[in-house]
Amino acid sequence: MTQTTQHTLRSILVTGGAGFIGSNFVRMILAERPGVRLVNYDALTYAGNLESVADLDAHPNYTFIRGDICDSAKVDETLRRHGVDTIIHFAAESHVDRSILSAAEFVRTNVMGVQTLLSVAMAAGVERFVQVSTDEVYGSLGAEGKFSETTPIAANSPYSASKAAGDLLCRAWFHTHDYPVLVTRCSNNYGPWQFPEKLIPLMIIKAMGDGELPVYGDGKNVRDWIHVEDHCRAVLTVAEQGRPGEVYNIGADNEWANIDIVKTILKILGKPESLIRYVKDRPGHDRRYAIDPAKIHGELGWKPQIQFEQGLAATVRWYQQNEPWWRRVMSGEYMNYYEKNYAPKM
Ligand code: NAD
Ligand code: DAU
């Protein structure tokens, strides 16, 4: 059995804690680690929303700071002022379709942002750095096989290429500077507070309003879905018990073709399949992702808890009950993006 390490979290900086996964993570830490002080550092891009963490404002261990991860002076000041011992790095440009329309922000945040954080964190004496990454760095699978931690990096989209570059910088900081970095690579997340540009919330909201559901290509691309709370618990496990320098894949052994997810959502909502529109495919669309989570199971004892059909039904209910939230985040900038991405496809 491989030796694990035990790291005690005392004062942590969570980047991107106003986004989908980050906000779920912040909520989980404040509820389950009462001794931990937490700074949520987020630039509040189109994807970051303070309403997603408004219920945490009064928590005595919680501070929000609006800041860019590329702003080294602000990161440095924040780390020192709050005596940060651990960084959990979620902040990113995260949507593949946006990276196809324009890649510049992806390189800035996902590559230069990681370099900035690593440099400043090391100089400030931060003891541990967790890079939250993605299975998309491994590229695309055929009908068989799964991604393991030793699968070669073969990123195919500007998004995944920028995340892979960030991961390689983390690897370099460990090997060159002996800096304690850990990397997690998770499959597709679903759950509450996800920005409705992503497949599951977009299809729920379109179906609720009897709109057209845009399915790319033949709808048979496969993704491996995990509930966001299971992902967050896995990241916490890696932060507390993982071995520096290691990569940990995170997944729930839950592969679905896109079209089957879309049909399931329609069924939950009692809507007809005639709402489905097959549209022009995403350029460079990866065919299949599937994670082999054996390492995190065996070494750290983490296992997912949320069964997909129940988690999906609860997620549909959440979007039904939180209409003011998604209506607000879908206004303004989002509408311009939607026009640009879907107009040539529909
Ligand atoms: P998201 O787009 O919902 O949130 C990203 C957050 O980062 C937002 O709050 C945004 O304001 C913030 N941000 C963006 N640029 C910033 C900058 N320069 N400085 C500071 N803050 C900035 O993303 P998400 O889906 O929650 O993903 C979080 C992380 O998890 C990302 O690193 C992503 O690559 C990774 N990941 C996501 C998934 C998924 O299915 N969503 C799966 C695996 C890994
Ligand atoms: O695998 C992890 C990755 O999962 C994360 O790193 C990314 O941040 C996250 O966005 C997600 O990437 P995907 O590209 O897989 O997710 P998305 O929700 O955009 O698309 C899921 C699948 O659904 C994909 O095959 C494309 C398809 N799709 C998506 C949209 C938005 C459609 O068919 N129609 C759509 O309108």
Side-chain angles (χ1 to χ4, degrees), residues 141 144-148 151 224 249 252-255 288-293:
L141 291 165
E144 300 293 320
K146 293 188 177 227
F147 298 133
S148 79
T151 301
D224 188 354
N249 282 354
D253 285 316
N254 182 42
E255 291 180 51
R288 176 174 164 256
Y289 302 147
I291 280 276
D292 174 1

Side-chain angles (χ1 to χ4, degrees), residues 16 18-21 42-45 47-48 67-69 90-92 94 108-109 132-134 159 163 186-189:
F20 165 46
I21 306 173
D42 195 300
L44 300 182
T45 67
D68 191 321
I69 58 167
F90 290 96
S94 69
R108 199 184 87 86
T109 289
V132 178
S133 191
T134 169
Y159 161 69
K163 289 295 290 187
C186 190
S187 59
N188 286 61
N189 285 219

Side-chain angles (χ1 to χ4, degrees), residues 26 52 59 93 140 159 171 189 195 199 201 220 288 299 317-318 344:
V26 168
S52 308
H59 197 290
E93 287 294 332
S140 187
Y159 161 69
R171 177 187 161 92
N189 285 219
F195 197 88
L199 179 77
K220 294 193 178 141
R288 176 174 164 256
E299 199 177 295
R317 273 198 304 282
W318 189 89

Side-chain angles (χ1 to χ4, degrees), residues 119-259:
S119 301
V120 176
M122 190 168 72
V126 173
E127 294 163 25
R128 188 169 270 227
F129 186 102
V130 180
Q131 155 87 345
V132 178
S133 191
T134 169
D135 61 355
E136 296 199 11
V137 300
Y138 298 123
S140 187
L141 291 165
E144 300 293 320
K146 293 188 177 227
F147 298 133
S148 79
E149 289 80 358
T150 53
T151 301
I153 299 285
N156 287 323
S157 73
Y159 161 69
S160 54
S162 69
K163 289 295 290 187
D167 290 11
L168 291 177
L169 286 169
C170 290
R171 177 187 161 92
W173 250 252
F174 178 75
H175 282 269
T176 306
H177 301 296
D178 203 19
Y179 188 62
V181 181
L182 303 93
V183 176
T184 63
R185 294 190 180 133
C186 190
S187 59
N188 286 61
N189 285 219
Y190 71 98
W193 311 107
Q194 184 166 31
F195 197 88
E197 63 192 354
K198 308 282 165 49
L199 179 77
I200 287 184
L202 179 67
M203 298 299 154
I204 294 171
I205 286 167
K206 288 285 175 196
M208 275 164 55
D210 298 308
E212 297 180 343
L213 277 56
V215 173
Y216 296 164
D218 63 4
K220 294 193 178 141
N221 297 64
V222 171
R223 295 292 181 265
D224 188 354
W225 294 93
I226 182 170
H227 194 276
V228 63
E229 285 170 22
D230 279 328
H231 180 197
C232 289
R233 202 166 299 286
V235 171
L236 176 59
T237 303
V238 169
E240 292 183 327
Q241 298 172 43
R243 286 180 294 137
E246 293 294 312
V247 173
Y248 294 92
N249 282 354
I250 302 168
D253 285 316
N254 182 42
E255 291 180 51
W256 284 72
N258 295 335
I259 189 64

Side-chain angles (χ1 to χ4, degrees), residues 232-287:
C232 289
R233 202 166 299 286
V235 171
L236 176 59
T237 303
V238 169
E240 292 183 327
Q241 298 172 43
R243 286 180 294 137
E246 293 294 312
V247 173
Y248 294 92
N249 282 354
I250 302 168
D253 285 316
N254 182 42
E255 291 180 51
W256 284 72
N258 295 335
I259 189 64
D260 295 331
I261 296 259
V262 171
K263 287 182 179 171
T264 306
I265 291 170
L266 287 168
K267 204 165 167 199
I268 293 171
L269 286 166
K271 300 286 182 175
E273 290 185 5
S274 56
L275 293 176
I276 294 170
R277 289 286 171 281
Y278 288 95
V279 301
K280 195 163 158 279
D281 210 353
R282 170 187 280 174
H285 198 174
D286 285 339
R287 192 62 173 169

